[in-house]
Amino acid sequence: MRPIKISDSEWQVMTLIWEKAPLPASEVVAALGKQKKWHPRTIRTLLDRLVKKQALLAILEGNRYLYQPLVSMEASVRQESRSFLQRVFGGESTAMLLHLVDDAELSKEDIKRLRAILAEKEK
């Protein structure tokens, strides 16, 4: 499947649907209207865009549409990560990892997990 570019606003819609799919448009509008203070028309436009991008499937049930994702959150995160890596670090994953680790507040448990991952990579 081809990569799908999802805007920041569309990501908000997708996150809600990934968590609670299938979801009727009315619930998406109610939830994001309350959380983000977005106008219902804006939310419906975002839903339409995501259907056109083939990120969402709209299923007609009675007189309403139910939305469910056509792409997984994991695949979308992977795509966004690769795009970020390419744009910001020129595709150099080591440079990105070093920057993130150096800049992060890490607990002892986080450090332990990182060491375990690195030890596994050395095998």
Side-chain angles (χ1 to χ4, degrees):
M1 181 177 227
R2 67 174 174 68
I4 298 171
K5 292 211 179 251
I6 298 173
S7 72
D8 291 343
S9 297
E10 292 167 344
W11 196 269
Q12 301 296 317
V13 174
M14 290 299 296
T15 299
L16 180 65
I17 294 173
W18 281 320
E19 290 172 2
K20 300 180 179 184
L23 207 55
S26 59
E27 287 185 36
V28 176
V29 168
L32 293 175
K34 185 176 180 181
Q35 286 175 11
K36 302 291 178 185
K37 307 290 189 242
W38 291 345
H39 190 278
R41 189 175 313 250
T42 300
I43 299 165
R44 290 186 186 277
T45 298
L46 292 169
L47 287 167
D48 289 342
R49 283 187 198 161
L50 288 164
V51 169
K52 285 179 185 150
K53 290 181 178 186
Q54 297 181 338
L56 287 179
L57 178 63
I59 302 164
L60 185 60
E61 183 184 86
N63 63 349
R64 67 183 188 163
Y65 280 99
L66 290 177
Y67 291 89
Q68 64 184 38
L70 286 173
V71 294
S72 70
M73 184 173 195
E74 294 78 16
S76 297
V77 167
R78 192 175 311 110
Q79 165 65 30
E80 286 294 319
S81 298
R82 287 180 183 149
S83 174
F84 175 79
L85 175 64
Q86 192 60 46
R87 275 191 336 271
V88 178
F89 292 94
E92 295 292 325
S93 55
T94 302
M96 181 182 76
L97 289 169
L98 291 172
H99 171 77
L100 292 173
V101 169
D102 190 43
D103 196 48
E105 293 288 326
L106 299 171
S107 68
K108 287 183 180 186
E109 188 60 35
D110 293 333
I111 293 167
K112 188 176 176 180
R113 287 177 51 214
L114 284 170
R115 283 191 177 126
I117 291 168
L118 292 173
E120 187 63 33
K121 291 277 188 184
E122 285 185 321
K123 292 182 180 177

Short mmCIF file of all heavy atoms in Angstrom, two decimals, residues 101 106-123:
data_model
loop_
_atom_site.label_atom_id
_atom_site.label_comp_id
_atom_site.label_asym_id
_atom_site.label_seq_id
_atom_site.Cartn_x
_atom_site.Cartn_y
_atom_site.Cartn_z
N VAL A 101 18.18 10.48 22.54
CA VAL A 101 18.63 9.94 23.83
C VAL A 101 19.32 11.03 24.63
O VAL A 101 19.10 11.16 25.84
CB VAL A 101 19.56 8.71 23.62
CG1 VAL A 101 20.25 8.32 24.92
CG2 VAL A 101 18.76 7.53 23.08
N LEU A 106 15.46 10.37 30.96
CA LEU A 106 15.30 8.92 31.00
C LEU A 106 15.34 8.40 32.44
O LEU A 106 16.22 8.78 33.21
CB LEU A 106 16.42 8.23 30.20
CG LEU A 106 16.48 8.58 28.71
CD1 LEU A 106 17.74 8.02 28.09
CD2 LEU A 106 15.25 8.06 28.00
N SER A 107 14.40 7.53 32.75
CA SER A 107 14.40 6.87 34.06
C SER A 107 15.40 5.72 34.02
O SER A 107 15.87 5.31 32.95
CB SER A 107 12.99 6.33 34.36
OG SER A 107 12.69 5.26 33.48
N LYS A 108 15.69 5.17 35.17
CA LYS A 108 16.59 4.01 35.22
C LYS A 108 15.99 2.85 34.44
O LYS A 108 16.71 2.10 33.79
CB LYS A 108 16.85 3.60 36.67
CG LYS A 108 17.76 4.56 37.39
CD LYS A 108 18.08 4.09 38.79
CE LYS A 108 19.00 5.11 39.45
NZ LYS A 108 19.46 4.67 40.76
N GLU A 109 14.67 2.72 34.47
CA GLU A 109 13.99 1.65 33.73
C GLU A 109 14.12 1.87 32.22
O GLU A 109 14.34 0.93 31.47
CB GLU A 109 12.51 1.58 34.14
CG GLU A 109 11.78 0.39 33.57
CD GLU A 109 12.37 -0.96 33.99
OE1 GLU A 109 12.86 -1.09 35.12
OE2 GLU A 109 12.34 -1.87 33.15
N ASP A 110 14.01 3.14 31.80
CA ASP A 110 14.19 3.46 30.37
C ASP A 110 15.60 3.08 29.91
O ASP A 110 15.78 2.49 28.85
CB ASP A 110 13.98 4.95 30.12
CG ASP A 110 12.56 5.41 30.34
OD1 ASP A 110 11.62 4.60 30.20
OD2 ASP A 110 12.38 6.61 30.66
N ILE A 111 16.58 3.44 30.73
CA ILE A 111 17.98 3.14 30.39
C ILE A 111 18.20 1.64 30.34
O ILE A 111 18.87 1.12 29.43
CB ILE A 111 18.93 3.82 31.40
CG1 ILE A 111 18.84 5.35 31.24
CG2 ILE A 111 20.37 3.33 31.22
CD1 ILE A 111 19.49 6.15 32.35
N LYS A 112 17.60 0.93 31.25
CA LYS A 112 17.70 -0.53 31.27
C LYS A 112 17.12 -1.12 29.98
O LYS A 112 17.72 -2.02 29.38
CB LYS A 112 16.97 -1.06 32.51
CG LYS A 112 17.14 -2.52 32.78
CD LYS A 112 16.43 -2.86 34.09
CE LYS A 112 16.48 -4.34 34.38
NZ LYS A 112 15.79 -4.66 35.63
N ARG A 113 15.97 -0.62 29.56
CA ARG A 113 15.34 -1.10 28.32
C ARG A 113 16.20 -0.78 27.10
O ARG A 113 16.35 -1.61 26.21
CB ARG A 113 13.95 -0.48 28.16
CG ARG A 113 12.93 -1.08 29.12
CD ARG A 113 11.55 -0.46 29.04
NE ARG A 113 11.04 -0.39 27.68
CZ ARG A 113 10.26 0.61 27.23
NH1 ARG A 113 9.92 1.60 28.02
NH2 ARG A 113 9.82 0.60 26.00
N LEU A 114 16.77 0.42 27.07
CA LEU A 114 17.66 0.78 25.96
C LEU A 114 18.88 -0.13 25.91
O LEU A 114 19.29 -0.58 24.82
CB LEU A 114 18.10 2.24 26.08
CG LEU A 114 17.07 3.30 25.70
CD1 LEU A 114 17.55 4.68 26.10
CD2 LEU A 114 16.79 3.25 24.21
N ARG A 115 19.46 -0.41 27.05
CA ARG A 115 20.61 -1.32 27.10
C ARG A 115 20.24 -2.71 26.58
O ARG A 115 21.02 -3.34 25.86
CB ARG A 115 21.16 -1.41 28.51
CG ARG A 115 21.98 -0.21 28.91
CD ARG A 115 22.74 -0.44 30.21
NE ARG A 115 23.56 0.70 30.50
CZ ARG A 115 23.54 1.38 31.64
NH1 ARG A 115 22.74 1.01 32.62
NH2 ARG A 115 24.32 2.42 31.80
N ALA A 116 19.07 -3.17 26.95
CA ALA A 116 18.62 -4.49 26.50
C ALA A 116 18.45 -4.51 24.98
O ALA A 116 18.83 -5.48 24.31
CB ALA A 116 17.32 -4.88 27.20
N ILE A 117 17.89 -3.45 24.43
CA ILE A 117 17.70 -3.37 22.98
C ILE A 117 19.06 -3.35 22.28
O ILE A 117 19.28 -4.06 21.29
CB ILE A 117 16.88 -2.12 22.60
CG1 ILE A 117 15.43 -2.28 23.08
CG2 ILE A 117 16.92 -1.85 21.10
CD1 ILE A 117 14.62 -0.99 23.01
N LEU A 118 19.98 -2.55 22.80
CA LEU A 118 21.31 -2.47 22.20
C LEU A 118 22.05 -3.80 22.32
O LEU A 118 22.73 -4.22 21.37
CB LEU A 118 22.12 -1.34 22.85
CG LEU A 118 21.61 0.07 22.55
CD1 LEU A 118 22.36 1.09 23.38
CD2 LEU A 118 21.72 0.38 21.06
N ALA A 119 21.92 -4.47 23.45
CA ALA A 119 22.57 -5.78 23.63
C ALA A 119 22.02 -6.79 22.61
O ALA A 119 22.78 -7.58 22.04
CB ALA A 119 22.36 -6.29 25.05
N GLU A 120 20.73 -6.74 22.36
CA GLU A 120 20.11 -7.63 21.38
C GLU A 120 20.62 -7.31 19.97
O GLU A 120 20.86 -8.21 19.17
CB GLU A 120 18.59 -7.49 21.45
CG GLU A 120 17.84 -8.47 20.60
CD GLU A 120 18.04 -9.92 21.00
OE1 GLU A 120 18.22 -10.21 22.20
OE2 GLU A 120 18.00 -10.76 20.08
N LYS A 121 20.83 -6.03 19.68
CA LYS A 121 21.34 -5.62 18.37
C LYS A 121 22.79 -6.09 18.15
O LYS A 121 23.19 -6.32 17.01
CB LYS A 121 21.29 -4.09 18.22
CG LYS A 121 19.90 -3.52 18.12
CD LYS A 121 19.41 -3.63 16.72
CE LYS A 121 18.11 -2.89 16.54
NZ LYS A 121 17.56 -3.07 15.21
N GLU A 122 23.55 -6.23 19.24
CA GLU A 122 24.95 -6.65 19.12
C GLU A 122 25.08 -8.13 18.77
O GLU A 122 26.12 -8.55 18.30
CB GLU A 122 25.70 -6.38 20.43
CG GLU A 122 26.04 -4.92 20.63
CD GLU A 122 26.88 -4.69 21.86
OE1 GLU A 122 26.63 -5.34 22.90
OE2 GLU A 122 27.78 -3.84 21.80
N LYS A 123 24.06 -8.91 19.00
CA LYS A 123 24.13 -10.35 18.75
C LYS A 123 24.25 -10.68 17.29
O LYS A 123 23.86 -10.05 16.41
CB LYS A 123 22.92 -11.07 19.34
CG LYS A 123 22.94 -11.04 20.85
CD LYS A 123 21.75 -11.80 21.37
CE LYS A 123 21.75 -11.77 22.89
NZ LYS A 123 20.60 -12.42 23.47
#
